[in-house]
Amino acid sequence: MAVSIGLHVSPEFPAMLQRIDALGGVLEADADAAEKLGRLTEDVARALLGAGVVRAALPQSLGGYEFSPRQLIETVERVSYHDSAAGWTMMALQLMTGTTAAYLDAVAAADLFPDVAGGDHALLAGHGTRPGRAVPVEGGYLVSGSWQFASGMAHATHIHSAIQVEGTGELRVLAMPKAQVNSSTTGMCSGCVRRTVLITTAPMCSSRRRTHISPRRRTRPMAARSTASDWSTCRQSGTPVGRSVSGGACSMN
């Protein structure tokens, strides 16, 4: 697979800043309501996503704008000018969603990001520290753990979490549906998203293809992904998550 290592500078950047400024009044008007909710209002979140703020961090190969690092920083800066909490939330969603889209296996990425241009794609929140436990099983991992501080979780569809593979110690990052975990507010975060979220999950199974090696251990460019196409969709509680748990072992539903 050919990989381009040149820095992509998106021509969409000026228009992005204009769209954000056009939403400035809405962001400022809803800031107090967001403070009380502990998350962005639905109107603000929908408007920023519709403006393409998260799409800015997604690869061109999936339909994203693939902004350069400087463009992404200035995009967050412009949102933050109108509401700092909105800027933090969008930055977190950009980072987790963008790295997942870039690093996942091509088939798994296509499943989570089927129509980026049309707004049909996963949104990820979480972080890569305090890894959960991942026990290797056929086709994937039996995962359990507890993770803290998930900025943007209220607006996410999937969780971005670190896992450590039992037996090898390998660190990987897992993308799992938010419906498969428990989350609760545990405190306040002054000046950012105003709340800290604790995420926990009982043992559940996930396909290996919905994990990737921790970016800190990678040497290849973000745009590079494998082209394997043999990942299978399994279910737990009716939601695609990889493989489901049955009697302590994994089985297909």
Side-chain angles (χ1 to χ4, degrees):
M1 176 181 180
V3 176
S4 172
I5 60 174
L7 180 66
H8 180 256
V9 179
S10 174
E12 187 67 23
F13 177 63
M16 174 68 72
L17 297 186
Q18 291 176 0
R19 292 196 293 270
I20 293 170
D21 284 339
L23 296 172
V26 176
L27 294 175
E28 293 165 16
D30 279 19
D32 288 341
E35 182 72 27
K36 294 176 182 177
L37 290 169
R39 59 172 175 77
L40 302 183
T41 65
E42 290 301 321
D43 287 343
V44 165
R46 189 180 305 111
L48 290 172
L49 293 173
V53 174
V54 172
R55 183 182 175 187
L58 298 179
Q60 276 190 299
S61 60
L62 293 174
Y65 294 134
E66 198 173 323
F67 278 14
S68 70
R70 180 169 181 172
Q71 289 177 324
L72 285 173
I73 291 170
E74 292 188 24
T75 297
V76 171
E77 179 185 45
R78 188 61 62 91
V79 176
S80 299
Y81 174 83
H82 300 288
D83 179 23
S84 59
W88 178 274
T89 299
M90 288 297 119
M91 178 276 296
L93 291 172
Q94 280 182 347
L95 179 60
M96 303 309 172
T97 305
T99 54
T100 298
Y103 282 122
L104 274 185
D105 169 89
V107 175
D111 182 64
L112 292 179
F113 303 91
D115 184 12
V116 169
D120 182 12
H121 62 82
L123 291 171
L124 290 101
H127 69 146
T129 62
R130 192 180 179 180
R133 181 187 183 199
V135 179
V137 295
E138 183 181 357
Y141 303 102
L142 184 64
V143 175
S144 61
S146 177
W147 301 267
Q148 292 179 316
F149 201 77
S151 300
M153 182 57 61
H155 311 290
T157 61
H158 288 68
I159 310 302
H160 169 288
S161 299
I163 53 175
Q164 188 164 28
V165 180
E166 192 170 86
T168 67
E170 181 181 57
L171 290 174
R172 302 187 70 85
V173 176
L174 168 70
M176 57 184 169
K178 186 167 73 171
Q180 298 303 305
V181 303
N182 298 314
S183 61
S184 60
T185 301
T186 60
M188 302 298 289
C189 175
S190 176
C192 49
V193 290
R194 305 171 175 110
R195 292 197 179 187
T196 300
V197 177
L198 173 67
I199 307 164
T200 59
T201 179
M204 59 169 283
C205 284
S206 176
S207 166
R208 180 180 173 85
R209 299 218 177 273
R210 286 208 179 181
T211 72
H212 62 79
I213 297 174
S214 172
R216 285 171 288 184
R217 299 182 60 190
R218 293 237 175 185
T219 56
R220 64 177 179 164
M222 284 181 59
R225 294 196 305 268
S226 70
T227 58
S229 60
D230 60 343
W231 101 291
S232 59
T233 299
C234 312
R235 296 176 182 273
Q236 178 180 351
S237 303
T239 304
V241 296
R243 292 183 177 272
S244 63
V245 179
S246 175
C250 289
S251 61
M252 299 290 289
N253 282 344

